[in-house]
DNA sequence: CGCATATTTAACCTACTCGTTTTGAAACAA
DNA sequence: TTGTTTCAAAACGAGTAGGTTAAATATGCG
């Protein structure tokens, strides 16, 4: 697996149990037993999920007697959002282009579907 | 691996090559050979990365003669952002706390808003 | 200390990922 | 048809992810 920070975070988020754990932690810190309760897996499995989340920087942990509390650390999620921001224009553009296409189809029988190929030609040049 | 849509997308993003491919596609559609060129892996490896991206819905593909063009599909990234929005308040809160901390320290320098290291110190109390 | 609680670690298993090389297939040109 | 180009699929190996059970560890109580 890739070990760069962003890959660690995405990898950590690529599991429904781990995402559910993060969601649960938005309501407050919790013990391992509390976090394990909703899921049909054993506690060691949850322990390892927590370790993955901790390695990704998505949680921090403290002790309270014999228990260990997990605490949500959202900063890496902010960095994910920063990375994603670069692509926001593309889903925005998709909607704009769809609107344009629909408008064009509505006004007249249009015939230039190769606009996307024009984009590909632009992509031919590297740099 | 989990097969729900969100997990597929996160899993697809958890690889630097695949993220770089998406970035490259923001400049326009590209062939497999063009996408493979910057990387030190063989063409079949890129083909499989593209299949992962396609399964996640992050690219679509069309033929142009013997070549196959990959096209960025940003919609799943928007859904990722929607999922992440839930956590925005938590890094906002972190910032409020960071601001308080900095106000408490209140002394020497107030230059960069980029001192995320302070957050790391707080969150990474690993030992 | 001895014991209980809460959690981690170890050992193991299965299945998947990501890379390789080799082979197959689709589109097209002569 | 044959050949070329471009890509996908097959087959294989090394490493990893995620699950299990069983044992080890850390903390607190009497």
């Amino acid at each position: 697996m890739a070990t760069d920070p962003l890959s660690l975070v995405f990898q950590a988020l690529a599991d429904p149990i781990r995402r559910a754990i993060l969601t649960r932690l938005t309501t407050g810190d919790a013990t391992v037993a509390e976090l394990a309760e909703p899921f049909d897996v054993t506690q060691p499995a949850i322990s390892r999920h927590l370790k993955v989340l901790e390695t990704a920087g998505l949680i921090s942990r403290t002790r309270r007697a014999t228990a260990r509390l997990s605490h949500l650390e959202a900063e890496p999620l902010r960095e994910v959002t920063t990375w994603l921001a670069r692509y926001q224009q593309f889903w925005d553009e998709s909607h704009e282009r769809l609107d344009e296409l629909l408008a064009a189809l509505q006004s007249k029988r249009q015939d230039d579907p190769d606009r996307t190929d024009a984009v590909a030609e632009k992509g031919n040049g590297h740099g």
Side-chain angles (χ1 to χ4, degrees), chain A residues 2 5 13 23-24 28-29 36 44 46 50-52 58 70 82 90-92 95 102 104 106-108 114 119 125 127:
Chain A
L13 296 178
T23 299
R24 173 88 186 261
D29 298 358
I46 300 297
L50 293 174
K51 191 172 189 178
V52 171
L58 287 166
S70 292
T82 298
F90 290 94
W91 70 66
D92 287 347
H95 269 246
L102 291 174
Q106 217 165 10
S107 57
K108 69 167 188 174
D114 283 15
V119 175

Side-chain angles (χ1 to χ4, degrees), chain A residues 83-126:
Chain A
W83 184 86
L84 287 170
R86 171 178 214 144
Y87 298 90
Q88 185 161 356
Q89 59 175 313
F90 290 94
W91 70 66
D92 287 347
E93 277 176 15
S94 292
H95 269 246
E96 285 174 19
R97 286 195 198 157
L98 181 59
D99 286 345
E100 288 174 18
L101 177 63
L102 291 174
L105 286 175
Q106 217 165 10
S107 57
K108 69 167 188 174
R109 277 294 175 98
Q110 217 277 81
D111 64 281
D112 205 359
D114 283 15
R115 280 188 60 91
T116 39
D117 274 314
V119 175
E121 279 177 327
K122 191 187 71 175
N124 270 344
H126 178 20

